[in-house]
Amino acid sequence: MTRSVRRRLVQRAAVAALLASGVGAAMADEATRPYADGGYFEIGVGYFVSRSIKARVDGDGQRDVSRLGTLSLSGALRRGPFFLEARRGGLDGVSVGATLWYDRQHTLDVLAAHVPGTVDIGWSSGDDEPAQDERSRNDRLLSRESLLGMSGLRLRRFQGDSLLQLSTAIGWKHGNGVLSGLHLGRQWQWGNWSGQALVGVRHASSAFADFIYGVDEDEATERFARYRVPSTVFAEADVSVARPLARRLVWRSAARLRQFDDAVTDSPLVTGSRSWSLDTTLSYVF
Amino acid sequence: MCSERRCFVAVAALWWAGLTPVSASAESLELVARPAQCIALHRGQPCYQEVVLSWGALDAQGTWCLLSDAQSAPLRCWQGGAVRQHVHAYASADTERFSIRRDGSGAIVAKTRVTTVWVYREPRRGSSGWRLF
């Protein structure tokens, strides 16, 4: 048995043990639960504008700006301690997990499977074949930020309309990088408008950051030289507003900002230190 | 079962009532709220909306009050049948009931209600609340 396989087995066994020990406790006292059973599923159409910190494949020094119409599926489901969350809007991602422990103000969740980011569904052929020409290799380097399967823990403290969250998750592949976060959030209601603001910092281990922003020896091209990313901290903020338009129709808009430090901005793949996005969506809620 | 004579009297009375242009009949007066639903985002959130309450003709001789179960004082009181509607600032997380009462006798002649419904059936802290990973 190789070391990485053994490590993976140990990680999964630890998650299973945590689940087994915590679920019973979490189901014990419904009166003090700071969360509620339920769920929703929504389908949305919207418009998304973003400016990445990454370079464009067709121009040095130019940052990639995307403007696209979006079709999004998202939802959440909780039954007792178990939950599934798939969000678009706010800080996106998909999580499957269970609440290990709680009291009136706190929840400690294990994220059995956690995929930060948005799932883009598309079709391409021959992706596994090594790219031959320079442009294809550059393109592959710039579009490497894809799905990252992770598992981890999330501790939340609720206080009125505020939230404090600590989270940490370890990647399943690509060197088992670790992404940890500290976030503060607050929600408001003005008339029938609801708002949410989040600010936070994330720490990405070298393995995690390197998978996204590093260039290995065998990947390097004339334009993108070899670069090894050290561990890094980045800040993020997210503000969103939502309003019901009808019994099942919600309009939502969000603005998001991320600020990266030198560890990331020194990467040849990166030409800026700040990324942002604007997102507006009309969703039908089932 | 009523006796033949009593039944005749009752039917005659109903027929008479139907022919008479009663303007403040408790049975016939309709109090309508538009819209009758207010939509909030999450369960438990209060919903805010202007609601138009309207009703049919009332007895010109009477004094009337429009009541809400959300407050002890009447929303308004008036004399005669000229007043036919009232605009109300609805603000509730569940339901507000309205009624029209004849002042003096205390008889309720019409009722209606406005209900808050939610897009997401869980409270804001629930699964639909925080959008954060």
Side-chain angles (χ1 to χ4, degrees), chain A residues 56-117:
Chain A
R56 277 166 49 164
V57 72
D58 58 355
D60 283 322
Q62 296 293 311
R63 284 204 273 161
D64 195 15
V65 178
S66 307
R67 294 177 188 85
L68 63 154
T70 57
L71 175 67
S72 58
L73 301 173
S74 58
L77 183 67
R78 179 179 273 277
R79 288 286 178 272
F82 300 101
F83 61 83
L84 163 69
E85 298 169 349
R87 300 282 171 74
R88 179 159 179 82
L91 304 176
D92 298 348
V94 178
S95 287
V96 178
T99 299
L100 296 177
W101 168 85
Y102 62 84
D103 63 16
R104 283 185 191 280
Q105 285 189 304
H106 302 86
T107 57
L108 175 64
D109 300 324
V110 60
L111 307 172
H114 173 64
V115 182

Side-chain angles (χ1 to χ4, degrees), chain A residues 34 39 42 87-91 93 95 114 156 158 161 165 185-187 189 192 194 196 198 202 244 247 252, chain B residues 37-41 45-48 117-133:
Chain A
E42 65 186 33
R87 300 282 171 74
R88 179 159 179 82
L91 304 176
S95 287
H114 173 64
R156 286 179 162 182
F158 302 96
D161 292 326
Q165 175 175 297
R186 184 158 175 82
Q187 293 177 327
Q189 184 182 1
N192 293 329
S194 290
Q196 173 180 293
L198 297 164
R202 291 200 202 245
R247 180 74 175 79
R252 179 174 283 110
Chain B
Q37 279 190 340
C38 187
I39 303 164
L41 199 60
Q45 281 186 320
C47 190
Y48 302 92
V117 294
W118 303 283
V119 178
Y120 299 108
R121 288 181 290 271
E122 313 83 47
R124 204 161 42 157
R125 193 187 281 189
S127 53
S128 59
W130 286 100
R131 290 170 181 253
L132 166 65
F133 282 79

